[in-house]
Structures are given as C-alpha cells and as structure tokens.
Amino acid sequence: TPEPSAQDVSLSVDWLTRYGYLPPPHPAQAQLQSPEQLRDAIKIMQRFAGLKETGLMDEATLATMKKPRCSLPDVLGVAGLVRRRR
Amino acid sequence: YALTGSFWKKKQLFWRVRSFPQGSALSQDIVRNLMHYALTAWGTEVGMTFQEAEPRVGTEPEILIDFARAYHKDSYPFDGPGGTLAHAFFPGDHPISGDTHFDDEEVWTFGESDSGGTDLFAVAVHEFGHALGLAHSSAPNSIMRPFYQGPAGDPSKYRLPPDDREGIQQLYGKGPNSPHPEPTRKPLVPPPQPPGQPPDSPSAPVPDRCSGNFDAIANIRGEVFFFKGPWFWRLQPSGQLVSPRPAKLHRFWEGLPEHVVTVDAAYSRPSDGRILLFSGRQFWVFQDRQLEAGSPKLLTELGLPPGEVVDAVFSWPQNGKTYLIRGEQYWRFDEAVHSVDPGYPKNLNLWEGAPSAPDDVTIGNKGDTYFFKGTEYWRFAPGSVVAEPGSPHPMGPDWLDCPPSAPGPPAPRPSKSPRNCQCEINQ
C-alpha cells in the first residue's frame, strides 16, 4: 500500500475529528495523537462505512472520506453533546 | 441504528420551508412536496403527523427548513458543491431543535440519476431522521448512513429500510397504520404439564425468590424472567408474577440439555427475536421455546477471548448493540457485522455507579437499563450511563412481590418449613 501523502493524513485527521472518530483538540494545548489512537479511529470509521478494517489510510478509506455526506458527526461523543447544548 | 437520546414528546409537528433554493430547477411547490413526502415516510411508521405551517401565523414550527450557503450562523458551515450536503438539529427545547438546513450550492434534483445532481428527497429523508432523534447508522441499507447513496426513488411509494423503521419505532412506538406490520409472534405459553405431576407439587423444594442472587435476568418480549438454578420466575408487563412458584427450566426451554442446570445470562436478540441463554463458555439459541439447530455455540463466536464466561448480557436500545459483561469489563458486540467493536473490552466503571460482576442486566419496557446484583438493583434512565440517584434499591419489593426487609424484630416463622407443609387443594 503506498504511503498516504502528508496532505491526505492531515485532511483525514481533520475528517476523523469532525465526524467524531477522534476527540476534538483542546483549545489550550497542542494535541498529540498516538499512532494506536489514530489506527483505532480509522478502524472504527472503516467499520462504520462498511470498508475492510485495515486501520490504514488506504485508497478506499480516503475515497470514502471524499464522498458527499451529512455534516453531522457519526460518533456522538462528548463533542456531539457539547454542540447540542451550545 | 443509533438514537441520539432526544425525541419529540408530541405526535403532531409543524414544518415550514423558510428559504428555498436559489437558481434551482426545482420549483418551490416541488420542494414543498418533497419535504412533505420525506416527513411522511417517517410519520407513517410511528403514527406521527406533520403539518405545513403558514408563514408568520402563530408559533414557529418545530421543523424550519432552509437552503443556505457557507457560514449560516450555526456550527456547521457549508462547503459549496460536494462535501457536506445538509444537516439537521436533534429534537429539544432550543429554537433551533428540529431545524433542517440544505447546502444551497448543491445541484438539487429529483427523480434523476446520480450524474444530474443530488436527490433532494433522499437527503431530506435522511435529515428528517436526525430532526426526529436518530443519529447516523452503520447498517448497509439504512437511509441514516452518513454518506449520500443516490436517489431514493418515487417519493410517494418510498418506504423506510428495516433498520430505520426499527430505530424510529424505538423512539415513538409503532404507528397504527404502519405499512409494515410485524408478523404476529407465537406467544410464550408454559408447556403442558406431564400427566400425573401437578405443577405445584409441594414435594419439590424450590428456591426462595426473595433472597435475590439470581443467575440471570432477562426481558423477553415484555416479560422479565428471573433464573435461579434449574428454575425461573416470570413477571408480566403489568408487574404481576405469573406464579409465586418457579417453573422448571427444562420443561419450558425445549431442547436445553439436562446437564445445563444454571443460566449465567440471557437476553432476547432484537434483530430476530431469538432468545439466547448463556451457560459456561457456551450459549443456546431459541426461537420461541424451541432450541434452534446449531446450538450450542461458543462464546468465542461472539468475539470474546477463549476461556471467558459472561456474568450479564443485554441489548441496549440506544444503539441496538449487545453488551457482554464479565467481572469489571465489558465487550460491545455488533450484531450487524457479527463481531466485537474495536477498542473493547472496556472498564465497566464507564457505567457510572454500576456494580462489578452483576448477576445480569436487562432493559425495562420503558427503555430503562437495570443492573441486578444480590438483592439490589441499579436503574439507569433511557440512554443514560449514570445510575439514578438513590441506587441501588432493594429488588424484592419492587420486582418480586416480596415484603421490604425492614429493620426490627424478625418476622414470625411458620411452624413448619414449606418443604414439610401439607397443602389442601385450595391453599
């Protein structure tokens, strides 16, 4: 599998955060994500989208992230609740 | 399906299109018609009605529909053609609750192939699912999948996929005119007694239901079953025990091997109504009271590590997933893909206030989650993972028609133990 470009990784992390697979960044501190955390988030996203669970930003995963979709997050965690309250 | 935890408490909602798409080939009347049909698709399944509100008359409708561009004063700015298409706000008391926004920069179409644009009806059905309280679903054929899946066909003939029907009916119940009535299930009835063996034979010693410490507790089609050794009690939805005397496990669950004398956990699988009884490292699957071919199965088939047994199993209506508890850990099993979700097991203390290694966990008929252990129970409100204040409560008086164990002098004991008493025919 070819390595995803830095831009793809950056866009993917943004996508995973926006749709609830990764926790939102803390406003007061830089966020450091472990490779395990990112892999788990990708796996959950892949399962949700019905893709093969590789934990990698493969072509199918990147293509799915570029599909037109609803703006709401897929995983309603703390981020979803905070948004609703606001 | 997945529920957001919020829903409307009324069965009639009002809606209005506040702003129409600019420069779209769709006329305002077509847009209004598509919205009507998209709402009706949900309403017919649950007996809700949606009425279009006149502009500037009376109160604001619950569902205000807008076609907006870019930043439009909420947390979800649109991004031009492609990308995000629409969003809606979950039910609630806030003025924006229920409101639904479509990206005006999409090419909205109706009844055309994918290449012509984005089918407004399909997107509207999805968004109104949010406006009524559903979150995104991972089920393959669900309209609540987050990704656009192409045109949804003729709006006047459209019917929701099963996953979405199940989800919305969890929130609002089944409508009287639901076009998909479930087949009538055979009621669970006790088996006929073998001749010459009266059901309440006084000679057979039975366990005391008021002492708690059940092996398993499960809600099966509205009735709560309490298992203890080779016996069980049934509590009807009205709160009445079918009998204060327990029934024998093997006379009811036909095909359960005689060597299985305790049930560690039990639950009713919502997807197909099958009843699963767990004992040791195996589980048995029943349709009604009959054992299904292929049983027993191993817990490892549910994705649990080899050697594990379970204390409790339940299906959470909030997301339709199955939770398997062992000691202080739990796994979340996805029936749709038939495996444990990544990231599990997790610590049971994520269920705040829950006891470790519960005897069992079950869902009440109003959607509450109940953890049972010993002689106590913990109640969690629907969708909540925090035990209600005051938990635990004594289960005997609330569930099993037992007297409260008040402090003070011990209750007078009968002169003879039940085992030795002689019963008249009417006693």
Side-chain angles (χ1 to χ4, degrees):
Chain A
T1 307
E3 284 287 308
S5 68
Q7 192 187 11
D8 277 343
V9 173
S10 171
L11 286 172
S12 302
V13 170
D14 176 56
W15 192 99
L16 291 166
T17 308
R18 187 183 317 161
Y19 296 116
Y21 296 99
L22 283 172
H26 192 284
Q29 64 193 57
Q31 194 176 11
L32 195 60
Q33 250 131 17
S34 69
E36 289 77 21
Q37 189 183 15
L38 192 56
R39 196 165 55 236
D40 279 351
I42 295 170
K43 272 190 181 176
I44 295 170
M45 176 267 167
Q46 288 167 331
R47 170 172 290 203
F48 206 103
L51 304 171
K52 193 176 171 195
E53 287 174 48
T54 62
L56 303 170
M57 283 178 194
D58 48 36
E59 257 181 61
T61 306
L62 288 167
T64 302
M65 288 178 173
K66 287 169 187 163
K67 278 186 178 176
R69 57 162 292 152
C70 174
S71 321
L72 297 190
D74 302 335
V75 182
L76 290 180
V78 177
L81 292 172
V82 168
R83 251 185 228 117
R84 268 193 288 154
R85 263 189 231 123
R86 192 181 297 148
Chain B
Y1 64 88
L3 311 181
T4 61
S6 55
F7 60 93
W8 299 102
K9 293 183 177 66
K10 44 196 167 185
K11 284 275 187 175
Q12 186 184 29
L13 299 179
F14 289 86
W15 63 277
R16 182 162 68 84
V17 183
R18 184 164 54 182
S19 56
F20 287 90
Q22 299 167 29
S24 169
L26 302 181
S27 69
Q28 293 194 358
D29 280 345
I30 286 180
V31 170
R32 286 175 46 233
N33 267 322
L34 294 177
M35 299 299 142
H36 161 78
Y37 280 117
L39 285 164
T40 303
W42 294 101
T44 50
E45 300 294 350
V46 293
M48 286 179 91
T49 53
F50 298 95
Q51 195 174 330
E52 188 173 8
E54 295 290 329
R56 292 181 295 278
V57 173
T59 54
E60 278 286 86
E62 285 82 12
I63 298 172
L64 265 176
I65 299 159
D66 280 295
F67 287 78
R69 289 169 182 244
Y71 176 70
H72 53 281
K73 298 178 183 171
D74 66 20
S75 307
Y76 305 96
F78 286 127
D79 54 1
T84 55
L85 304 174
H87 51 248
F89 292 84
F90 303 135
D93 299 326
H94 194 276
I96 206 168
S97 303
D99 290 0
T100 305
H101 301 162
F102 297 88
D103 187 348
D104 192 24
E105 292 189 80
E106 305 299 335
V107 179
W108 294 112
T109 56
F110 151 57
E112 294 176 27
S113 67
D114 266 342
S115 56
T118 307
D119 183 39
L120 179 57
F121 174 70
V123 177
V125 175
H126 174 101
E127 296 308 331
F128 292 146
H130 291 313
L132 294 173
L134 292 180
H136 282 149
S137 169
S138 58
N141 297 317
S142 167
I143 193 73
M144 293 312 293
R145 275 174 71 85
F147 306 101
Y148 176 65
Q149 299 165 80
D154 183 347
S156 65
K157 293 180 183 150
Y158 178 81
R159 284 176 183 170
L160 292 172
D163 180 71
D164 306 294
R165 281 206 306 267
E166 213 176 301
I168 199 73
Q169 287 173 349
Q170 279 286 340
L171 287 176
Y172 298 100
K174 194 175 285 190
N177 301 319
S178 171
H180 299 275
E182 293 285 322
T184 308
R185 284 176 173 156
K186 202 162 72 176
L188 285 167
V189 289
Q193 296 295 331
Q197 197 173 358
D200 280 3
S201 169
S203 59
V206 295
D208 175 16
R209 69 179 190 281
C210 295
S211 64
N213 290 296
F214 292 97
D215 299 327
I217 297 167
N219 186 332
I220 299 171
R221 303 180 191 170
E223 290 192 7
V224 184
F225 284 56
F226 295 83
F227 296 87
K228 192 182 247 191
W231 302 92
F232 70 92
W233 290 262
R234 284 167 66 181
L235 185 69
Q236 294 172 321
S238 62
Q240 297 279 315
L241 281 169
V242 168
S243 167
R245 193 177 171 85
K248 288 287 291 240
L249 202 58
H250 295 91
R251 283 204 210 146
F252 188 88
W253 301 101
E254 291 179 6
L256 185 68
E258 289 291 329
H259 66 82
V260 179
V261 289
T262 54
V263 175
D264 296 335
Y267 85 111
S268 173
R269 192 161 61 192
S271 55
D272 59 6
R274 299 290 194 276
I275 298 147
L276 281 70
L277 304 185
F278 294 75
S279 188
R281 290 167 190 167
Q282 296 176 312
F283 65 94
W284 285 259
V285 181
F286 289 82
Q287 181 174 12
D288 302 322
R289 288 173 37 227
Q290 279 76 40
L291 187 67
E292 278 202 336
S295 290
K297 297 171 189 288
L298 292 169
L299 283 179
T300 47
E301 290 183 38
L302 298 179
L304 263 61
E308 284 289 354
V309 295
V310 289
D311 295 320
V313 182
F314 68 102
S315 174
W316 205 32
Q318 196 69 11
N319 55 12
K321 301 216 179 184
T322 302
Y323 291 72
L324 301 121
I325 301 175
R326 172 62 177 167
E328 293 180 354
Q329 289 186 313
Y330 72 100
W331 290 261
R332 196 175 75 178
F333 180 75
D334 189 331
E335 304 275 3
V337 294
H338 207 75
S339 64
V340 167
D341 281 339
Y344 288 85
K346 289 189 176 175
N347 199 302
L348 191 59
N349 64 17
L350 289 170
W351 289 79
E352 206 175 299
S356 64
D359 292 339
D360 212 339
V361 180
T362 197
I363 305 297
N365 291 337
K366 291 180 180 168
D368 308 77
T369 308
Y370 294 96
F371 280 65
F372 295 91
K373 184 166 183 171
T375 55
E376 297 176 315
Y377 74 94
W378 288 251
R379 193 179 83 90
F380 293 73
S384 171
V385 291
V386 181
E388 74 169 5
S391 290
H393 310 279
M395 63 185 286
D398 292 353
W399 293 83
L400 293 156
D401 196 22
C402 299
S405 53
R413 291 182 170 276
S415 56
K416 292 178 179 176
S417 72
R419 185 179 301 202
N420 298 326
C421 84
Q422 300 297 313
C423 294
E424 301 288 328
I425 188 124
N426 292 324
Q427 289 180 313

Short mmCIF file of all heavy atoms in Angstrom, two decimals, chain B residues 79-125:
data_model
loop_
_atom_site.label_atom_id
_atom_site.label_comp_id
_atom_site.label_asym_id
_atom_site.label_seq_id
_atom_site.Cartn_x
_atom_site.Cartn_y
_atom_site.Cartn_z
N ASP B 79 -19.92 23.92 2.47
CA ASP B 79 -18.63 23.99 1.79
C ASP B 79 -18.76 24.02 0.27
O ASP B 79 -17.85 23.56 -0.43
CB ASP B 79 -17.77 22.80 2.22
CG ASP B 79 -18.49 21.47 2.00
OD1 ASP B 79 -19.62 21.50 1.50
OD2 ASP B 79 -17.91 20.42 2.32
N GLY B 80 -19.88 24.49 -0.25
CA GLY B 80 -20.02 24.55 -1.70
C GLY B 80 -20.40 23.19 -2.27
O GLY B 80 -20.72 22.26 -1.52
N PRO B 81 -20.34 23.03 -3.60
CA PRO B 81 -20.77 21.78 -4.22
C PRO B 81 -19.96 20.59 -3.70
O PRO B 81 -18.74 20.69 -3.49
CB PRO B 81 -20.50 22.00 -5.71
CG PRO B 81 -20.44 23.49 -5.87
CD PRO B 81 -19.91 24.04 -4.59
N GLY B 82 -20.64 19.46 -3.49
CA GLY B 82 -19.99 18.26 -2.95
C GLY B 82 -19.76 18.41 -1.45
O GLY B 82 -20.29 19.33 -0.82
N GLY B 83 -18.92 17.53 -0.90
CA GLY B 83 -18.62 17.61 0.54
C GLY B 83 -19.86 17.45 1.37
O GLY B 83 -20.61 16.48 1.20
N THR B 84 -20.08 18.40 2.27
CA THR B 84 -21.27 18.28 3.11
C THR B 84 -22.50 18.76 2.36
O THR B 84 -22.45 19.78 1.64
CB THR B 84 -21.11 19.08 4.41
OG1 THR B 84 -20.80 20.42 4.07
CG2 THR B 84 -20.00 18.52 5.27
N LEU B 85 -23.60 18.04 2.52
CA LEU B 85 -24.82 18.33 1.76
C LEU B 85 -25.89 19.00 2.60
O LEU B 85 -26.63 19.86 2.10
CB LEU B 85 -25.40 17.02 1.20
CG LEU B 85 -24.48 16.16 0.33
CD1 LEU B 85 -25.18 14.85 -0.01
CD2 LEU B 85 -24.09 16.91 -0.93
N ALA B 86 -26.01 18.58 3.84
CA ALA B 86 -27.12 19.05 4.68
C ALA B 86 -26.88 18.65 6.11
O ALA B 86 -25.98 17.84 6.40
CB ALA B 86 -28.43 18.44 4.19
N HIS B 87 -27.66 19.19 7.02
CA HIS B 87 -27.66 18.74 8.41
C HIS B 87 -28.98 19.14 9.06
O HIS B 87 -29.72 19.96 8.52
CB HIS B 87 -26.47 19.32 9.19
CG HIS B 87 -26.32 20.79 9.08
ND1 HIS B 87 -25.26 21.38 8.41
CD2 HIS B 87 -27.07 21.80 9.53
CE1 HIS B 87 -25.38 22.69 8.46
NE2 HIS B 87 -26.48 22.97 9.14
N ALA B 88 -29.23 18.52 10.21
CA ALA B 88 -30.46 18.85 10.95
C ALA B 88 -30.14 18.81 12.43
O ALA B 88 -29.16 18.19 12.84
CB ALA B 88 -31.55 17.86 10.60
N PHE B 89 -30.97 19.45 13.21
CA PHE B 89 -30.75 19.53 14.66
C PHE B 89 -31.70 18.58 15.37
O PHE B 89 -32.88 18.48 15.01
CB PHE B 89 -30.89 20.97 15.14
CG PHE B 89 -29.77 21.83 14.63
CD1 PHE B 89 -29.85 22.40 13.36
CD2 PHE B 89 -28.62 22.02 15.37
CE1 PHE B 89 -28.79 23.16 12.86
CE2 PHE B 89 -27.56 22.77 14.88
CZ PHE B 89 -27.65 23.34 13.61
N PHE B 90 -31.19 17.90 16.37
CA PHE B 90 -31.96 16.88 17.07
C PHE B 90 -33.12 17.52 17.84
O PHE B 90 -33.09 18.72 18.12
CB PHE B 90 -31.04 16.12 18.04
CG PHE B 90 -29.87 15.48 17.37
CD1 PHE B 90 -28.60 15.57 17.90
CD2 PHE B 90 -30.03 14.77 16.19
CE1 PHE B 90 -27.50 14.98 17.28
CE2 PHE B 90 -28.95 14.18 15.55
CZ PHE B 90 -27.69 14.28 16.10
N PRO B 91 -34.12 16.73 18.21
CA PRO B 91 -35.26 17.28 18.95
C PRO B 91 -34.84 17.90 20.28
O PRO B 91 -33.83 17.50 20.87
CB PRO B 91 -36.14 16.04 19.20
CG PRO B 91 -35.72 15.03 18.20
CD PRO B 91 -34.26 15.29 17.95
N GLY B 92 -35.59 18.86 20.73
CA GLY B 92 -35.29 19.50 22.01
C GLY B 92 -36.09 20.77 22.19
O GLY B 92 -37.00 21.07 21.40
N ASP B 93 -35.73 21.53 23.23
CA ASP B 93 -36.48 22.74 23.54
C ASP B 93 -35.87 24.00 22.94
O ASP B 93 -36.46 25.07 22.99
CB ASP B 93 -36.55 22.92 25.08
CG ASP B 93 -37.28 21.75 25.72
OD1 ASP B 93 -38.21 21.23 25.07
OD2 ASP B 93 -36.90 21.35 26.84
N HIS B 94 -34.65 23.90 22.41
CA HIS B 94 -34.00 25.06 21.84
C HIS B 94 -34.71 25.46 20.54
O HIS B 94 -35.20 24.60 19.82
CB HIS B 94 -32.53 24.72 21.55
CG HIS B 94 -31.68 25.92 21.28
ND1 HIS B 94 -31.61 26.48 20.03
CD2 HIS B 94 -30.90 26.67 22.08
CE1 HIS B 94 -30.80 27.54 20.08
NE2 HIS B 94 -30.36 27.66 21.32
N PRO B 95 -34.76 26.78 20.23
CA PRO B 95 -35.46 27.18 18.99
C PRO B 95 -34.92 26.48 17.74
O PRO B 95 -35.69 26.26 16.79
CB PRO B 95 -35.21 28.69 18.92
CG PRO B 95 -34.93 29.10 20.33
CD PRO B 95 -34.31 27.94 21.01
N ILE B 96 -33.64 26.13 17.72
CA ILE B 96 -33.09 25.53 16.51
C ILE B 96 -33.36 24.01 16.43
O ILE B 96 -33.18 23.40 15.37
CB ILE B 96 -31.57 25.82 16.40
CG1 ILE B 96 -31.13 25.80 14.93
CG2 ILE B 96 -30.74 24.83 17.22
CD1 ILE B 96 -29.75 26.35 14.67
N SER B 97 -33.82 23.42 17.53
CA SER B 97 -34.08 21.97 17.54
C SER B 97 -35.05 21.60 16.42
O SER B 97 -36.08 22.24 16.25
CB SER B 97 -34.69 21.55 18.89
OG SER B 97 -33.84 21.91 19.94
N GLY B 98 -34.72 20.57 15.68
CA GLY B 98 -35.57 20.09 14.59
C GLY B 98 -35.32 20.79 13.27
O GLY B 98 -35.77 20.31 12.22
N ASP B 99 -34.63 21.92 13.29
CA ASP B 99 -34.42 22.67 12.05
C ASP B 99 -33.49 21.91 11.12
O ASP B 99 -32.58 21.19 11.56
CB ASP B 99 -33.84 24.06 12.35
CG ASP B 99 -34.88 24.95 13.02
OD1 ASP B 99 -36.01 24.47 13.24
OD2 ASP B 99 -34.57 26.11 13.33
N THR B 100 -33.72 22.09 9.84
CA THR B 100 -33.01 21.30 8.83
C THR B 100 -32.47 22.23 7.76
O THR B 100 -33.22 23.06 7.22
CB THR B 100 -33.99 20.27 8.23
OG1 THR B 100 -34.54 19.50 9.30
CG2 THR B 100 -33.30 19.34 7.26
N HIS B 101 -31.17 22.11 7.50
CA HIS B 101 -30.51 23.01 6.54
C HIS B 101 -29.91 22.22 5.38
O HIS B 101 -29.24 21.21 5.61
CB HIS B 101 -29.38 23.79 7.24
CG HIS B 101 -29.85 24.61 8.40
ND1 HIS B 101 -29.00 25.09 9.37
CD2 HIS B 101 -31.09 25.04 8.75
CE1 HIS B 101 -29.70 25.78 10.26
NE2 HIS B 101 -30.98 25.75 9.92
N PHE B 102 -30.14 22.69 4.17
CA PHE B 102 -29.56 22.09 2.97
C PHE B 102 -28.58 23.09 2.36
O PHE B 102 -28.83 24.30 2.38
CB PHE B 102 -30.66 21.78 1.95
CG PHE B 102 -31.66 20.77 2.45
CD1 PHE B 102 -32.78 21.16 3.17
CD2 PHE B 102 -31.48 19.41 2.20
CE1 PHE B 102 -33.69 20.24 3.64
CE2 PHE B 102 -32.39 18.47 2.67
CZ PHE B 102 -33.51 18.88 3.38
N ASP B 103 -27.47 22.54 1.82
CA ASP B 103 -26.48 23.41 1.17
C ASP B 103 -27.04 23.90 -0.16
O ASP B 103 -27.27 23.10 -1.08
CB ASP B 103 -25.18 22.62 0.96
CG ASP B 103 -24.04 23.52 0.46
OD1 ASP B 103 -24.33 24.68 0.07
OD2 ASP B 103 -22.89 23.06 0.45
N ASP B 104 -27.25 25.19 -0.25
CA ASP B 104 -27.87 25.77 -1.45
C ASP B 104 -26.94 25.70 -2.66
O ASP B 104 -27.38 25.91 -3.79
CB ASP B 104 -28.26 27.23 -1.15
CG ASP B 104 -29.16 27.79 -2.22
OD1 ASP B 104 -29.84 26.99 -2.90
OD2 ASP B 104 -29.18 29.03 -2.40
N GLU B 105 -25.67 25.40 -2.43
CA GLU B 105 -24.74 25.34 -3.55
C GLU B 105 -24.68 23.96 -4.20
O GLU B 105 -23.91 23.74 -5.13
CB GLU B 105 -23.35 25.80 -3.11
CG GLU B 105 -23.35 27.30 -2.78
CD GLU B 105 -21.95 27.83 -2.55
OE1 GLU B 105 -21.23 28.09 -3.53
OE2 GLU B 105 -21.58 27.98 -1.37
N GLU B 106 -25.45 23.00 -3.68
CA GLU B 106 -25.54 21.71 -4.36
C GLU B 106 -26.50 21.85 -5.55
O GLU B 106 -27.37 22.73 -5.55
CB GLU B 106 -26.10 20.62 -3.42
CG GLU B 106 -25.35 20.45 -2.12
CD GLU B 106 -23.90 20.04 -2.32
OE1 GLU B 106 -23.58 19.44 -3.36
OE2 GLU B 106 -23.08 20.34 -1.43
N VAL B 107 -26.36 20.95 -6.50
CA VAL B 107 -27.32 20.89 -7.59
C VAL B 107 -28.42 19.93 -7.14
O VAL B 107 -28.27 18.71 -7.23
CB VAL B 107 -26.66 20.40 -8.90
CG1 VAL B 107 -27.69 20.33 -10.02
CG2 VAL B 107 -25.52 21.33 -9.29
N TRP B 108 -29.49 20.49 -6.63
CA TRP B 108 -30.57 19.64 -6.10
C TRP B 108 -31.46 19.16 -7.24
O TRP B 108 -31.88 19.96 -8.08
CB TRP B 108 -31.39 20.38 -5.06
CG TRP B 108 -30.60 20.70 -3.82
CD1 TRP B 108 -30.21 21.92 -3.39
CD2 TRP B 108 -30.10 19.76 -2.87
NE1 TRP B 108 -29.49 21.82 -2.22
CE2 TRP B 108 -29.41 20.49 -1.88
CE3 TRP B 108 -30.16 18.37 -2.74
CZ2 TRP B 108 -28.79 19.89 -0.79
CZ3 TRP B 108 -29.55 17.77 -1.65
CH2 TRP B 108 -28.87 18.53 -0.69
N THR B 109 -31.70 17.86 -7.24
CA THR B 109 -32.53 17.28 -8.30
C THR B 109 -33.59 16.39 -7.66
O THR B 109 -33.59 16.16 -6.46
CB THR B 109 -31.68 16.42 -9.26
OG1 THR B 109 -31.01 15.43 -8.50
CG2 THR B 109 -30.69 17.26 -10.03
N PHE B 110 -34.43 15.88 -8.52
CA PHE B 110 -35.48 14.99 -8.04
C PHE B 110 -35.79 14.01 -9.15
O PHE B 110 -36.03 14.42 -10.29
CB PHE B 110 -36.71 15.82 -7.63
CG PHE B 110 -38.01 15.11 -7.78
CD1 PHE B 110 -38.23 13.90 -7.13
CD2 PHE B 110 -39.02 15.64 -8.55
CE1 PHE B 110 -39.43 13.24 -7.26
CE2 PHE B 110 -40.22 14.99 -8.69
CZ PHE B 110 -40.43 13.79 -8.05
N GLY B 111 -35.72 12.73 -8.84
CA GLY B 111 -36.09 11.69 -9.80
C GLY B 111 -35.13 11.56 -10.96
O GLY B 111 -35.51 11.12 -12.03
N GLU B 112 -33.87 11.95 -10.77
CA GLU B 112 -32.89 11.81 -11.84
C GLU B 112 -31.78 10.87 -11.40
O GLU B 112 -31.69 10.49 -10.25
CB GLU B 112 -32.31 13.18 -12.21
CG GLU B 112 -33.35 14.11 -12.81
CD GLU B 112 -32.78 15.50 -13.08
OE1 GLU B 112 -31.56 15.59 -13.28
OE2 GLU B 112 -33.56 16.44 -13.05
N SER B 113 -30.94 10.54 -12.34
CA SER B 113 -29.82 9.68 -11.99
C SER B 113 -28.77 10.50 -11.23
O SER B 113 -28.85 11.72 -11.15
CB SER B 113 -29.19 9.09 -13.25
OG SER B 113 -28.60 10.13 -13.98
N ASP B 114 -27.80 9.82 -10.65
CA ASP B 114 -26.76 10.47 -9.85
C ASP B 114 -26.04 11.60 -10.59
O ASP B 114 -25.70 12.61 -10.00
CB ASP B 114 -25.70 9.43 -9.47
CG ASP B 114 -26.01 8.84 -8.11
OD1 ASP B 114 -26.79 9.46 -7.38
OD2 ASP B 114 -25.48 7.77 -7.82
N SER B 115 -25.81 11.38 -11.89
CA SER B 115 -24.97 12.32 -12.62
C SER B 115 -25.59 13.71 -12.70
O SER B 115 -24.88 14.71 -12.84
CB SER B 115 -24.70 11.80 -14.02
OG SER B 115 -25.94 11.56 -14.67
N GLY B 116 -26.93 13.78 -12.58
CA GLY B 116 -27.59 15.08 -12.73
C GLY B 116 -27.47 15.96 -11.50
O GLY B 116 -27.72 17.16 -11.59
N GLY B 117 -27.11 15.42 -10.37
CA GLY B 117 -27.05 16.22 -9.15
C GLY B 117 -27.32 15.35 -7.93
O GLY B 117 -27.06 14.14 -7.96
N THR B 118 -27.85 15.96 -6.90
CA THR B 118 -28.10 15.25 -5.65
C THR B 118 -29.61 15.20 -5.41
O THR B 118 -30.28 16.24 -5.45
CB THR B 118 -27.41 15.98 -4.49
OG1 THR B 118 -26.03 16.16 -4.84
CG2 THR B 118 -27.47 15.18 -3.21
N ASP B 119 -30.12 14.01 -5.14
CA ASP B 119 -31.56 13.81 -4.99
C ASP B 119 -32.03 14.45 -3.67
O ASP B 119 -31.68 13.98 -2.58
CB ASP B 119 -31.85 12.30 -4.99
CG ASP B 119 -33.33 12.00 -4.90
OD1 ASP B 119 -34.12 12.72 -5.53
OD2 ASP B 119 -33.70 11.05 -4.19
N LEU B 120 -32.82 15.50 -3.80
CA LEU B 120 -33.25 16.24 -2.61
C LEU B 120 -34.10 15.37 -1.69
O LEU B 120 -33.99 15.45 -0.47
CB LEU B 120 -34.03 17.50 -3.04
CG LEU B 120 -34.56 18.36 -1.90
CD1 LEU B 120 -33.45 18.82 -0.96
CD2 LEU B 120 -35.31 19.59 -2.46
N PHE B 121 -34.95 14.54 -2.28
CA PHE B 121 -35.82 13.70 -1.47
C PHE B 121 -35.00 12.76 -0.57
O PHE B 121 -35.26 12.64 0.63
CB PHE B 121 -36.78 12.91 -2.36
CG PHE B 121 -37.61 11.92 -1.60
CD1 PHE B 121 -38.61 12.34 -0.74
CD2 PHE B 121 -37.39 10.56 -1.74
CE1 PHE B 121 -39.37 11.43 -0.01
CE2 PHE B 121 -38.15 9.64 -1.03
CZ PHE B 121 -39.13 10.07 -0.17
N ALA B 122 -33.99 12.09 -1.15
CA ALA B 122 -33.17 11.14 -0.38
C ALA B 122 -32.48 11.85 0.79
O ALA B 122 -32.46 11.35 1.92
CB ALA B 122 -32.13 10.48 -1.28
N VAL B 123 -31.94 13.03 0.51
CA VAL B 123 -31.22 13.77 1.57
C VAL B 123 -32.22 14.26 2.63
O VAL B 123 -31.93 14.23 3.83
CB VAL B 123 -30.41 14.93 0.96
CG1 VAL B 123 -29.73 15.75 2.04
CG2 VAL B 123 -29.36 14.39 -0.02
N ALA B 124 -33.41 14.65 2.17
CA ALA B 124 -34.41 15.16 3.14
C ALA B 124 -34.87 14.04 4.07
O ALA B 124 -35.01 14.25 5.28
CB ALA B 124 -35.61 15.75 2.40
N VAL B 125 -35.08 12.83 3.54
CA VAL B 125 -35.48 11.72 4.41
C VAL B 125 -34.40 11.50 5.48
O VAL B 125 -34.69 11.38 6.67
CB VAL B 125 -35.70 10.42 3.60
CG1 VAL B 125 -35.99 9.25 4.54
CG2 VAL B 125 -36.84 10.58 2.61
#
